[in-house]
Amino acid sequence: MAWPWLSCILLPTLMASVAANTAPTFLKNMTLVSLPEDLPVGDVAFWLMAEDKDGDALTYEISGSDAYIFKVNQNTGEVTLDSPLDYETRPIMILTIIVSDGHTRVQKTLQVIVEDRNDNAPVFQNISASISIKETLPVGSVVTTVLAKDKDTGPWGLVTYFIEKVTPYNPFLILSNGSIVLNDSLSYNNKSAFYQVQLKACDSGDDDGRNRLCSPSVFLSISVTDQADLDPQFVRDFYMASVPEDAPMGTSVLMVEAMDRDKGINEPVTYSISNSTRPGWFDIGTDGIIRVSGSLDREQLLEEDEEVQVQVTATEKSLNIYGQAAKASIWVTLRVTDVNDHRPEFYNCTLEACTFTPQEVQVNFTGYVYEHASARIPIDSLTLVAYDPDKGSNGTFSLSLEGSDSAAFSVSPERVAGLAEVQVLVRRSDLVDYETQTVMSVQVVATDSLNLKSTAFVAIHVRDINDHAPTFPQNHYVIEVPEHSDNGYVIADDIHATDPDTGEGGHITYSLLPANVADLFEVDPSTGNVTVKNSQLLDREKQAVYYLTLQATDGGNLSDSTALEIILLDINDNRPVVSGSYNIFVQEERDNVSVTIQAYDEDEPNHNNSLLNFTLAPGPYSLNFSLDPKTGLLRNLEPLDREAIDPALGGRIVLTVYVTDCAEPFHSTEVNVNINVEDINDNLPVFNTTSYEFTVKEQDPGALVGVVVARDKDQTEANNRISFILSGNGANNFLLRGEPLGAGQAVGRLQLPLDVSLDYETQPFFNLTVNATDPDPQDEAMATVFVIVKDVNDEPPTLEPASLQGIRVAENGSHGLVAQVVPLDVDLEALLEVQLMNVICTKAGVDVGSACYGWFSMMPNGSVFINQSEAIDYEACDLVTLVVRAHDLMTEPNFQAYSDNGSLPITIEDVNDNAPYFVPNNKTFVIIPELVGLNQQVASVQARDDDSGDNGRIKFSILQVNFLSNDGTTTSFQGFFHIITSSAASLFTGSITLVANLDSTLQGTYQVTVQAQDSPSMGTAREANTSLNLFTVDQRYRVRLQFSTPKEEVGANLEEIKAALGQATRTTVYTVNIQDIDSSTRARGRSYLDAYFVFPNGSALTLNELSVMIRKDQDSLMKLLQLGLVVLGSEQSQESDLPKTLVSVIVALGLALLLALVIMTVAIVCIQKSYRRKLWAMKAAKEARNTAVGVMPSAPAIPGTNMYNTERANPMLNLSTKDLGFESLSSSSDLDHISLNSLDDNAVDLDQDSQKTKARQGELLNSAPEPDEEPLSVVLSGRQAGTGGQKQNMTFTNTALDTTDL
């Protein structure tokens, strides 16, 4: 009954409220949205965020040409992606976003920027399926170029090409620009005529190389075209054929065949004979058939093994790629076979000397034979050879004799194969008679198998024989001759023999017998005169009478003889003869000589010819002796000294004694008396000098150092044999080999052993002593030997350690000489240079490859110069190590010429050449004034400086602070912030702290300009600036959350609570405080938590926005409920907003409203119990509608409600107290009011039918009372009707809730 009254009273007020409605506004950040291109369809793209000062419910929508891509939840403003995004087609979209509070529609332009992602693989563009290339294409040539494009940008659009596979093998490589380059030579015949190349293109992916996208593989067919670059080739390696020598012209002999090795061209081939051992005999046609082109003669090929060699050349018709004729040659062997086309011929030659040329063919021959020669005796001087050049049976022939005298002779052999020497033999000796016939003739006939004949005419001359002997007039002759008559002295010239034979048989030859007188006498063979042949042998003293036989012999060897008696007459022809020899041995200084010379003369005794006289011939030593002329006694006049005798004589004195007869003219004989003076050891050895100086190279084992020479005057080896002894410091390094050097001399060869070499650097000289002794070492000679060791370049060079001490070079600007590496060598003739072997570049101990190559150069003299001063960069490399070595250019062969490698470290000193730079930071800094205390950090920056030390040490400072308010004004603030610098490794951090309290009422952004400046010890500091935005969040955005647990438990679960809230809202949760709720109140919670929910862009959530976002995330909501969350509200009291409205209405209506309140109070008191029951019934009805028929919730009921925590249930309704419209009927009790809040105002219901529920509740409150029927049964029956025809009946009994009295 009171409701119509209330409606009449409130209607004007509600009308006034509508008239004063304020339009909603979008949040300031609703101007630009960035979305990743790969955002999945259905995901949340962004939220439309607007606020309405009137608190009206807002609806959202979007429009524009690109609006179809998105889908908006009109109630929540959630915008999800409805169509895929594509940066490549729509990088930027312009949307019109619209918000309406039911009264006013507000539009705003929202720019959506699509961020590129790597969602496109490269695509090959117009690639040819196949190409052709020449097989002669040079290595390194570009075969073709492919192109692949990637629609993505940045590194995602950078294409890299790959050759995945090549069939049959890969002779290609692909460059970064897509050019396929030939990497190996091609060959159509030997390698492959076709290649299939499988290509792939990939983009660069992310910065770390991952997530690369690649194109599908494409195939490129490359055909190799054959080129005329090969000569033809014969199909066989050897050709041979036979042809008879009588083959007619044009006869085909052999066919050769050649083909082009360029299989892809197969050029026709022509043939020619380019060379032949018998030109003109054969030719060849274009068909490759060799034919007979001239007359053949096998007999001309006997020295060529009956073969003709023909060189056939095959030439391609077209020139090759080099402009030359492509050709190949082969030698063909053609054997000419024999036919019987020659008759036998006769030649006047011996078999060994015959050349069987036509010029040697003869018909007439001559021979000789003695009369009455025996049978089978061949004819002399007959050189007859029969020859048939045909082969085998064609060259076999028979021989026979013809003619008038053929009966006296025979021929041999009678049958000949090829050739033979022919002999004519005596057959009947009685027919061969000189007196009958002096010349006889026969014909030798040769006949072959075809009856081809030749005849040789032989004239045989018969020789006469001797049948008479010569005779002398008498048989004995006596002749006197002086001994030793001159040679040629005629003893007898009138003794002759006669022979009646004529001719050769009558020619007489004289000779002397016996043979032992041939040395004394001789006879003229023709005249018979006997003369003295050797006057010296004609010696009466040896033989006084000689008996000779003079023989006469004719040409037939018939002879006669006569005796000759020759008597010799004496002359003084003998010299005295000395008996024996005289070889006398005496010791020097001790023995004397006494000897008698024995002599005789064989001339006639007792005659002056045989009387003797002795004299001593003058000589170098004859004055030391005396000789008796009559007796021949020889004596020495004084003692003999062996050393006074010429050493060449070996101690022997030769005296000549003349023995003379007394005849006129006289003869004398000389005899040598050898007096051997024996040596005794009476002299010591003597060196040719008392000191020697020799020079020898070091490191020369086996070298000859020098020689020493000593002499001993004794003249026999037994006394003058010299031995050497070497002594002194270092003598064991030498060998002294003694060798005789003539009589009484010896040489000592001083040399190094083969296993010993001297070292100049160890000992440059040696002082040695050499002693010389003879076989009787009573005393010895001594000489000094000074050996100088000559330095050779044998020692390896070294590097002076001090010159390898590290140096320091400043980057960017150092010039000139920076170091001097000093090579050393102990050798005297060393020629040194320094070589740079390697350069090692390191940065902080890590090898950086070739970063420092070329910074420094090394001269051969060891000077180190800066090569590229501007290139020296400390940030790239802080330590350059030059690896060097010394090289001695004069080192002898076989010795080490290089030193060990040394390292010269060059430390690069940093200079302040790099300015600091800020490290990008995606953080958003938010200041909540009530949470920020003094000296608390509110923001931070990070910076780096690539320099080191002081040059890289950064100090931060705040240059300027401006406050940009939300209304657009800018205010400068100074002294509110301070920055503190800290560092870790090379990263410097500037922490910005608050040093003065901020005004919490200011709404806007603090813009802080920070400067990073390095701190060089020298030079000007470098700096960099950056600006930070510090967004402020005022107390309007403070939200209070009530929990059913005490503050201690809330504090313990704070991190989990913040994590769940952050997950639901995607904000950063800033906690203000946690307090317990006064236990005297009837609040649902036991504690509360005040917090701010701030987005990264500095904006914050209001209570309504927070409620919407939590309702959307079921998982987070369940987690918060488990952690005790029961109520959401603002910082102000959790009382309903309806009393505030009523206050304003009371002020407007005054006393009328007071009357209405009195009436309302009375009505509420009357129906209090009915009101509560209706409320519970409506809650149960809502639960019944949300619960499927026949399904009972299994989860425990939430205390204080009739709702179950199931999938479709929610512990709290999303209704404010004013939505129920029961406030005017409620009791003024605070307990009841708080109880209502706990069920309605703080509900976080996600059910989309909440508004319909509110409408039904309004209708229920404004309708007239219905009959008392069980409301829950009515509701359940309605649910059953809406289950799609299900007939299942269900009873529902709840003893705790009975609504029959509603």
Side-chain angles (χ1 to χ4, degrees):
M1 295 177 61
W3 288 110
W5 289 52
L6 182 60
S7 299
C8 295
I9 296 173
L10 296 180
L11 182 60
T13 304
L14 296 176
M15 294 292 290
S17 175
V18 171
N21 180 70
T22 302
T25 58
F26 281 102
L27 298 184
K28 293 183 178 180
N29 59 354
M30 296 304 297
T31 58
L32 178 66
V33 174
S34 295
L35 299 178
E37 182 182 15
D38 56 355
L39 184 67
V41 174
D43 278 15
V44 176
F46 54 90
W47 289 78
L48 297 181
M49 307 288 289
E51 58 184 1
D52 185 58
K53 294 183 178 181
D54 299 324
D56 297 331
L58 303 180
T59 59
Y60 301 93
E61 58 181 295
I62 58 176
S63 63
S65 59
D66 298 322
Y68 71 93
I69 297 177
F70 303 95
K71 181 178 181 181
V72 62
N73 188 319
Q74 295 182 351
N75 297 323
T76 63
E78 178 188 64
V79 180
T80 56
L81 188 65
D82 200 38
S83 297
L85 299 177
D86 188 6
Y87 171 85
E88 287 69 32
T89 57
R90 285 187 178 85
I92 299 176
M93 294 177 287
I94 304 299
L95 301 177
T96 300
I97 57 176
I98 304 170
V99 62
S100 173
D101 59 357
H103 306 286
T104 306
R105 288 168 53 89
V106 177
Q107 297 184 0
K108 186 176 183 180
T109 299
L110 177 66
Q111 185 179 27
V112 179
I113 298 176
V114 180
E115 298 175 349
D116 190 23
R117 291 295 184 268
N118 191 17
D119 61 339
N120 290 282
V123 178
F124 282 97
Q125 307 292 314
N126 301 323
I127 187 170
S128 300
S130 63
I131 62 173
S132 297
I133 59 175
K134 297 180 179 180
E135 68 169 338
T136 56
L137 186 68
V139 174
S141 301
V142 176
V143 176
T144 186
T145 300
V146 298
L147 175 64
K149 293 184 178 180
D150 193 321
K151 295 181 180 180
D152 295 321
T153 60
W156 298 325
L158 183 62
V159 179
T160 303
Y161 299 91
F162 299 94
I163 295 180
E164 291 188 288
K165 182 181 179 183
V166 179
T167 303
Y169 79 99
N170 185 14
F172 309 102
L173 59 85
I174 190 165
L175 304 181
S176 59
N177 63 353
S179 296
I180 299 177
V181 178
L182 184 62
N183 196 35
D184 190 10
S185 60
L186 302 174
S187 175
Y188 182 89
N189 295 333
N190 301 328
K191 293 184 177 180
S192 179
F194 176 79
Y195 298 90
Q196 187 179 54
V197 182
Q198 184 175 346
L199 301 174
K200 182 177 73 173
C202 298
D203 57 26
S204 299
D206 298 335
D207 294 338
D208 56 2
R210 295 185 297 180
N211 300 325
R212 302 180 71 179
L213 297 181
C214 297
S215 69
S217 297
V218 298
F219 293 88
L220 173 65
S221 297
I222 300 177
S223 299
V224 180
T225 58
D226 198 8
Q227 298 294 298
D229 60 337
L230 298 176
D231 292 332
Q233 184 179 25
F234 286 90
V235 297
R236 291 169 54 187
D237 295 332
F238 179 73
Y239 291 93
M240 184 175 182
S242 298
V243 59
E245 61 178 331
D246 60 348
M249 299 277 288
T251 300
S252 297
V253 180
L254 175 68
M255 180 177 179
V256 298
E257 183 181 0
M259 59 187 302
D260 188 359
R261 285 196 293 160
D262 297 311
K263 300 178 182 178
I265 300 176
N266 199 19
E267 183 74 20
V269 177
T270 61
Y271 303 93
S272 62
I273 293 179
S274 55
N275 198 357
S276 175
T277 57
R278 293 291 173 174
W281 284 23
F282 302 95
D283 63 7
I284 190 169
T286 56
D287 53 0
I289 297 178
I290 299 176
R291 297 179 175 86
V292 177
S293 62
S295 59
L296 307 181
D297 188 2
R298 183 197 68 85
E299 287 68 31
Q300 296 185 30
L301 303 175
L302 296 180
E303 294 183 358
E304 303 169 27
D305 201 17
E306 304 176 7
E307 294 176 347
V308 177
Q309 302 293 331
V310 176
Q311 187 182 41
V312 177
T313 299
T315 306
E316 297 179 9
K317 287 190 176 181
S318 301
L319 299 179
N320 60 19
I321 60 175
Y322 311 110
Q324 301 173 351
K327 56 186 178 180
S329 299
I330 191 171
W331 284 95
V332 178
T333 301
L334 302 177
R335 181 177 292 276
V336 181
T337 59
D338 184 46
V339 296
N340 194 358
D341 59 343
H342 293 82
R343 64 180 182 177
E345 298 286 354
F346 293 100
Y347 298 86
N348 185 14
C349 59
T350 61
L351 188 61
E352 295 80 5
C354 281
T355 58
F356 305 109
T357 61
Q359 293 78 13
E360 291 181 328
V361 176
Q362 289 192 15
V363 177
N364 298 315
F365 297 88
T366 302
Y368 298 88
V369 66
Y370 287 100
E371 62 178 332
H372 308 303
S374 301
R376 303 297 298 174
I377 296 297
I379 303 303
D380 292 340
S381 303
L382 178 63
T383 55
L384 175 62
V385 174
Y387 171 61
D388 189 331
D390 292 325
K391 189 175 182 181
S393 61
N394 296 330
T396 302
F397 56 91
S398 62
L399 296 175
S400 62
L401 287 181
E402 296 179 358
S404 59
D405 298 324
S406 60
F409 301 95
S410 63
V411 64
S412 177
E414 294 182 352
R415 189 169 183 82
V416 178
L419 77 161
E421 287 185 331
V422 180
Q423 290 183 329
V424 178
L425 308 176
V426 176
R427 183 180 181 188
R428 293 180 60 183
S429 60
D430 60 319
L431 297 180
V432 181
D433 187 5
Y434 177 80
E435 287 74 18
T436 303
Q437 188 176 359
T438 60
V439 178
M440 304 177 74
S441 63
V442 294
Q443 292 86 42
V444 181
V445 180
T447 305
D448 65 8
S449 59
L450 295 182
N451 205 27
L452 298 176
K453 295 183 180 181
S454 293
T455 302
F457 297 92
V458 180
I460 304 173
H461 295 268
V462 180
R463 292 173 177 168
D464 190 16
I465 62 174
N466 187 20
D467 56 350
H468 294 88
T471 59
F472 284 97
Q474 59 185 45
N475 295 328
H476 182 265
Y477 296 91
V478 177
I479 304 171
E480 289 185 349
V481 178
E483 67 173 332
H484 300 303
S485 295
D486 294 336
N487 294 338
Y489 178 81
V490 178
I491 297 175
D493 56 359
D494 54 354
I495 303 174
H496 300 288
T498 59
D499 190 332
D501 290 328
T502 60
E504 187 66 25
H507 181 71
I508 299 175
T509 302
Y510 296 93
S511 61
L512 288 176
L513 298 175
N516 59 359
V517 299
D519 293 336
L520 299 174
F521 305 98
E522 63 182 352
V523 63
D524 188 324
S526 300
T527 64
N529 294 335
V530 179
T531 59
V532 175
K533 181 180 181 181
N534 191 334
S535 63
Q536 296 298 327
L537 298 180
L538 200 60
D539 188 359
R540 187 202 66 81
E541 287 73 23
K542 294 181 179 180
Q543 186 173 345
V545 179
Y546 291 91
Y547 297 96
L548 306 179
T549 298
L550 178 62
Q551 183 179 52
T553 304
D554 62 14
N557 206 26
L558 299 178
S559 63
D560 187 19
S561 62
T562 184
L564 300 179
E565 182 181 354
I566 300 176
I567 299 173
L568 296 183
L569 302 177
D570 183 39
I571 64 172
N572 188 15
D573 60 341
N574 290 290
R575 296 178 181 276
V577 177
V578 177
S579 301
S581 60
Y582 299 89
N583 196 16
I584 304 169
F585 292 90
V586 293
Q587 286 189 344
E588 63 172 332
E589 306 293 341
R590 296 177 182 175
D591 298 336
N592 294 316
V593 177
S594 179
V595 62
T596 299
I597 308 301
Q598 302 292 329
Y600 64 91
D601 193 325
E602 292 183 351
D603 286 328
E604 187 176 351
N606 301 321
H607 194 272
N608 286 339
N609 291 340
S610 60
L611 184 62
L612 302 179
N613 185 39
F614 299 91
T615 57
L616 186 62
Y621 306 104
S622 60
L623 297 179
N624 294 326
F625 300 89
S626 63
L627 179 64
D628 190 317
K630 299 298 182 180
T631 62
L633 177 62
L634 179 66
R635 293 175 180 272
N636 61 299
L637 299 178
E638 57 185 12
L640 300 179
D641 185 5
R642 172 66 180 265
E643 285 70 38
I645 302 172
D646 186 354
L649 299 178
R652 186 177 66 178
I653 298 174
V654 179
L655 299 178
T656 302
V657 176
Y658 292 108
V659 181
T660 309
D661 61 21
C662 295
E664 286 293 339
F666 66 89
H667 289 287
S668 66
T669 299
E670 64 182 34
V671 61
N672 290 331
V673 179
N674 295 323
I675 302 173
N676 295 284
V677 181
E678 295 179 348
D679 187 35
I680 62 174
N681 193 1
D682 58 346
N683 290 282
L684 296 176
V686 177
F687 283 100
N688 60 349
T689 181
T690 58
S691 63
Y692 296 88
E693 183 176 306
F694 301 126
T695 301
V696 63
K697 291 183 179 180
E698 64 172 334
Q699 303 296 340
D700 191 7
L704 178 65
V705 179
V707 295
V708 297
V709 180
R711 175 187 294 274
D712 192 319
K713 292 183 178 181
D714 293 323
Q715 294 189 359
T716 59
E717 183 178 357
N719 295 322
N720 64 12
R721 185 174 67 249
I722 300 174
S723 299
F724 297 99
I725 301 174
L726 183 66
S727 61
N729 184 21
N732 57 344
N733 293 314
F734 301 90
L735 290 178
L736 183 60
R737 300 181 184 274
E739 297 178 5
L741 189 65
Q745 288 190 9
V747 60
R749 298 185 180 277
L750 185 64
Q751 66 183 51
L752 298 175
L754 294 177
D755 59 346
V756 174
S757 58
L758 303 181
D759 187 5
Y760 172 84
E761 289 73 24
T762 303
Q763 188 170 353
F765 60 86
F766 295 87
N767 282 316
L768 306 175
T769 301
V770 179
N771 294 323
T773 62
D774 57 18
D776 186 13
Q778 296 179 358
D779 201 356
E780 58 187 17
M782 183 181 69
T784 60
V785 177
F786 184 69
V787 179
I788 300 174
V789 181
K790 183 179 180 181
D791 184 32
V792 298
N793 203 334
D794 61 333
E795 296 293 331
T798 59
L799 296 171
E800 185 180 76
S803 66
L804 296 178
Q805 297 297 323
I807 61 173
R808 306 183 73 87
V809 174
E811 63 173 333
N812 296 334
S814 299
H815 298 84
L817 178 69
V818 296
Q820 183 71 42
V821 178
V822 179
L824 302 175
D825 198 318
V826 296
D827 295 317
L828 300 178
E829 298 181 357
L831 180 58
L832 303 178
E833 69 174 10
V834 179
Q835 298 176 341
L836 179 61
M837 304 304 298
N838 192 12
V839 179
I840 302 174
C841 312
T842 55
K843 174 66 176 178
V846 178
D847 193 326
V848 293
S850 59
C852 63
Y853 287 5
W855 291 4
F856 300 93
S857 60
M858 171 69 71
M859 298 293 104
N861 63 353
S863 298
V864 179
F865 289 90
I866 293 178
N867 196 33
Q868 300 177 3
S869 61
E870 292 76 10
I872 299 177
D873 187 4
Y874 171 87
E875 287 69 38
C877 171
D878 60 7
L879 178 62
V880 180
T881 303
L882 303 183
V883 180
V884 299
R885 71 176 182 184
H887 177 204
D888 187 352
L889 301 177
M890 300 301 292
T891 299
E892 296 289 336
N894 302 322
F895 292 104
Q896 175 66 34
Y898 300 95
S899 70
D900 294 335
N901 288 347
S903 297
L904 175 63
I906 303 177
T907 301
I908 307 301
E909 293 183 337
D910 186 34
V911 298
N912 192 18
D913 59 341
N914 291 282
Y917 61 92
F918 286 93
V919 177
N921 190 349
N922 295 325
K923 293 181 180 179
T924 300
F925 301 108
V926 178
I927 296 179
I928 302 175
E930 70 170 309
L931 296 182
V932 179
L934 295 180
N935 298 321
Q936 182 175 345
Q937 178 178 327
V938 294
S940 64
V941 293
Q942 290 183 323
R944 295 181 183 272
D945 193 316
D946 291 335
D947 294 320
S948 64
D950 292 342
N951 296 329
R953 188 168 62 251
I954 297 175
K955 183 178 181 181
F956 297 99
S957 60
I958 297 176
L959 297 181
Q960 185 178 3
V961 179
N962 291 326
F963 182 78
L964 306 178
S965 63
N966 291 340
D967 58 7
T969 61
T970 301
T971 306
S972 177
F973 278 78
Q974 300 297 333
F976 282 83
F977 299 98
H978 176 67
I979 189 166
I980 301 174
T981 304
S982 61
S983 64
S986 60
L987 180 64
F988 290 82
T989 302
S991 300
I992 300 175
T993 60
L994 188 65
V995 296
N997 292 323
L998 298 177
D999 187 352
S1000 60
T1001 62
L1002 294 178
Q1003 300 180 14
T1005 303
Y1006 291 94
Q1007 191 176 68
V1008 181
T1009 302
V1010 179
Q1011 182 182 80
Q1013 186 179 65
D1014 55 24
S1015 307
S1017 56
M1018 298 178 60
T1020 304
R1022 295 177 180 267
E1023 59 191 26
N1025 297 335
T1026 187
S1027 294
L1028 299 179
N1029 290 325
L1030 281 63
F1031 299 97
T1032 61
V1033 178
D1034 56 55
Q1035 291 185 354
R1036 293 179 302 161
Y1037 298 95
R1038 182 170 176 175
V1039 177
R1040 175 166 293 178
L1041 293 80
Q1042 286 191 14
F1043 291 87
S1044 62
T1045 58
K1047 70 174 183 179
E1048 290 78 12
E1049 186 173 346
V1050 174
N1053 298 329
L1054 181 61
E1055 294 302 322
E1056 293 184 62
I1057 295 171
K1058 292 174 65 176
L1061 291 171
Q1063 177 181 343
T1065 61
R1066 303 296 189 269
T1067 62
T1068 302
V1069 181
Y1070 294 92
T1071 303
V1072 179
N1073 59 3
I1074 303 173
Q1075 296 294 335
D1076 284 333
I1077 298 176
D1078 188 0
S1079 59
S1080 62
T1081 66
R1082 297 184 61 188
R1084 173 75 176 162
R1086 298 180 57 186
S1087 62
Y1088 65 86
L1089 181 150
D1090 290 341
Y1092 291 88
F1093 296 84
V1094 182
F1095 285 105
N1097 61 1
S1099 61
L1101 287 177
T1102 62
L1103 175 63
N1104 291 336
E1105 294 168 346
L1106 175 62
S1107 176
V1108 170
M1109 298 186 74
I1110 291 180
R1111 290 199 306 271
K1112 182 179 181 298
D1113 193 329
Q1114 286 286 316
D1115 293 338
S1116 298
L1117 176 60
M1118 295 303 300
K1119 182 66 175 179
L1120 291 171
L1121 291 174
Q1122 293 174 5
L1123 294 174
L1125 177 65
V1126 292
V1127 178
L1128 288 179
S1130 63
E1131 181 188 1
Q1132 288 78 12
S1133 173
Q1134 298 298 320
E1135 296 178 356
S1136 172
D1137 292 337
L1138 182 58
K1140 294 182 180 180
T1141 305
L1142 293 178
V1143 171
S1144 62
V1145 172
I1146 292 172
V1147 173
L1149 299 180
L1151 295 175
L1153 184 57
L1154 292 176
L1155 180 61
L1157 289 176
V1158 172
I1159 298 172
M1160 289 174 59
T1161 302
V1162 175
I1164 290 173
V1165 171
C1166 295
I1167 64 173
Q1168 180 176 7
K1169 180 177 180 180
S1170 178
Y1171 165 77
R1172 292 193 180 194
R1173 291 176 181 268
K1174 287 181 180 181
L1175 178 60
W1176 291 338
M1178 290 185 67
K1179 298 296 184 180
K1182 185 175 184 295
E1183 171 60 20
R1185 292 188 184 96
N1186 293 333
T1187 304
V1189 177
V1191 178
M1192 293 299 295
S1194 59
I1198 298 177
T1201 70
N1202 63 341
M1203 303 191 69
Y1204 290 81
N1205 189 12
T1206 62
E1207 182 180 358
R1208 298 288 306 273
N1210 199 306
M1212 291 175 285
L1213 296 174
N1214 186 24
L1215 300 173
S1216 61
T1217 304
K1218 64 183 179 179
D1219 292 332
L1220 292 175
F1222 294 159
E1223 297 294 47
S1224 61
L1225 303 177
S1226 65
S1227 170
S1228 61
S1229 172
D1230 293 337
L1231 180 60
D1232 292 338
H1233 184 73
I1234 294 175
S1235 177
L1236 290 175
N1237 288 338
S1238 68
L1239 292 176
D1240 304 330
D1241 185 49
N1242 298 289
V1244 194
D1245 188 7
L1246 296 179
D1247 187 61
Q1248 295 182 355
D1249 295 332
S1250 60
Q1251 298 298 329
K1252 296 180 179 180
T1253 302
K1254 294 179 182 179
R1256 293 192 188 102
Q1257 292 171 349
E1259 293 173 359
L1260 179 62
L1261 294 176
N1262 294 305
S1263 63
E1266 297 291 337
D1268 294 340
E1269 185 178 357
E1270 169 61 30
L1272 185 57
S1273 299
V1274 174
V1275 174
L1276 291 177
S1277 63
R1279 289 284 289 172
Q1280 291 173 359
T1283 58
Q1286 294 181 0
K1287 301 302 182 181
Q1288 180 179 4
N1289 295 324
M1290 183 164 182
T1291 61
F1292 194 102
T1293 303
N1294 188 346
T1295 57
L1297 179 61
D1298 187 2
T1299 62
T1300 56
D1301 51 353
L1302 289 177

